[in-house]
Amino acid sequence: DSATKRLFMTSAIQKRMDIADISNPSNISLVKSIDMAPYGGITSIAIKNGIVAVASPDSVEQNPGKVIFFDANGNYINRVTVGALPDHVGFSPNGKFVVTADEGQPNLDYTNDPEGSVTMIDISGGVQNLTQSNVTVIDFKGFNANENALIASGVRKLFKASTLAQDFEPEYITISKDNQLGWVSLQENNAIAVIDFTTKKVTNIWALGTKEFKTLGNGFDASDKSGSVLISNWNVKAFTTPDQIATYSVNNKSYLVTANEGDEKEYTPLNERTTVNAIILDSATFPNRKMLMEDHSLGRLRITNLHGDNDADGDYDELYMVGPRSFSIYDLTSNSMVYNSGDAFELITSQHPALGRIFNADNEASNTLKSRSRSKGPEPEGVTVASINDKTYAFITLERIGGVMVYDITNPSAPVYVDYKNTRSNTVFGGDNGPEGIVYIQANQSPTGKPMIVVSNEISGTVTLFEVRNNIPSSVNDLPKTSSNFVAYPNPTQGVINTSIIGNYNIYNNLGQMVLQMKNTNQIDISSLNRGIYYIQNEMKQTHKIILQK
């Protein structure tokens, strides 16, 4: 909240809302804690115009939940009832309505499976005047009749006995700048629902597709037992299954950014988790199936048992994971993917000078190398987009190894990696672990007058504030031609590197062998080289590590 310079945070396990003073970001102080247990609990929080909205599930999660409204001082104002298990709450850009993604998860034995929904709360008349008549629960019943067609298009239905409306579990909502449309991630169902907020109806549901890991640039590290990092191509597919999503526009065209976390269902009558060495592989499709079953290969790789036995003969013709270890961008005119980050997250973290030693580590208890390689890898969780200096950036949290990836997504079909910051300890287990929620604070609302990123870390129970600094020049001419300003970008690159200094350069491979020399230039073309890690060194012996992707 820019007026009070306060940050509002959830503590779901302790069922508590915390209010902190961040007027001095280097010395954050607690203002107040509010016990949410009397309301049921807390899953999500949002604030706009001094009004705090808290998503609060019932103590029995299959019952309808609530949104509780407070002022910026934590004083209770009002409450309304929403759908079952509200998991995300947000305000419309104009502040006239609040929405919740009501996940509607079943109980453990699946005897109670409420419908997923999206709730719209009209607050234009003032939160203090709210009644239940201001609340509309938008359901998915109208799509039950189209179940077969939606499944054929790639939408996942996981529990056969439930209706499609029950099986849908809305996870996160993003709203268009004109307040008319909303896009909702149906995470486990690998789909996006489109909401028309003028008619208060779901108008469309479209499938997000799969990622082919056998394609060059889409490799992944598959085993926690192989002993070393091996980012390779395998005959495996992955459902996109995003958690958080965000929208932005370029030339009046809208795009959707998805953090492709992955999530399976684990219940008594439906547990889709299995591993490659626990199934039978089709001998024609997988002639090397004996090797694939080994622990250092794909044997321990976590896959879903709901897909892949295409001819229903008891063996698997395809292997499907849940979670492609990447982020994606979709054109919302055609609902088609225009970009996927491929294996960049694992490449970048594996080669990071400080964090490579805990590559694909889990976010709990230890820093064990590769412990998450068999399941979702770095696991992208949260995403926010920001317009800074006429460019648009995506900030993506990695739930497992931790940290925030930064990409310039101004060109939706050709994003550029900008930075990666991680405040987790790379020696003993500590620091900030389990980043999940992420919020951008623009400069004119920031307590310092500079843009900031705020990250909530679920496992360590900490909140991290980053200042966004403009370290990347918009062109080489923006920097004086001195060796102290040696910058090489973009990184990773598809082949061409720009440098801040016109000069002579040697390019070395990962073995320290010189592979190219360039003279009197500030543009270095390494597209003739094989993809991988290279080092560019200038005449002053300053070196940049470069990741070549192509």
Side-chain angles (χ1 to χ4, degrees), residues 58-71:
D58 190 76
S59 56
V60 177
E61 291 184 347
Q62 290 69 43
N63 292 340
K66 292 179 176 62
V67 169
I68 319 295
F69 291 95
F70 299 88
D71 65 20

Side-chain angles (χ1 to χ4, degrees), residues 413-475:
S413 61
V416 176
Y417 167 73
V418 174
D419 201 3
Y420 172 57
K421 286 290 184 291
N422 192 336
T423 47
R424 170 182 183 159
S425 169
N426 70 341
T427 52
V428 298
F429 181 77
D432 297 316
N433 289 273
E436 186 158 332
I438 183 166
V439 174
Y440 173 68
I441 303 176
Q442 60 192 37
N444 63 2
Q445 295 184 350
S446 166
T448 63
K450 297 179 181 180
M452 303 184 76
I453 287 290
V454 186
V455 179
S456 61
N457 303 288
E458 182 180 31
I459 301 302
S460 56
T462 55
V463 172
T464 314
L465 276 68
F466 294 96
E467 182 179 289
V468 180
R469 297 176 179 171
N470 185 24
N471 292 333
I472 304 300
S474 59
S475 73

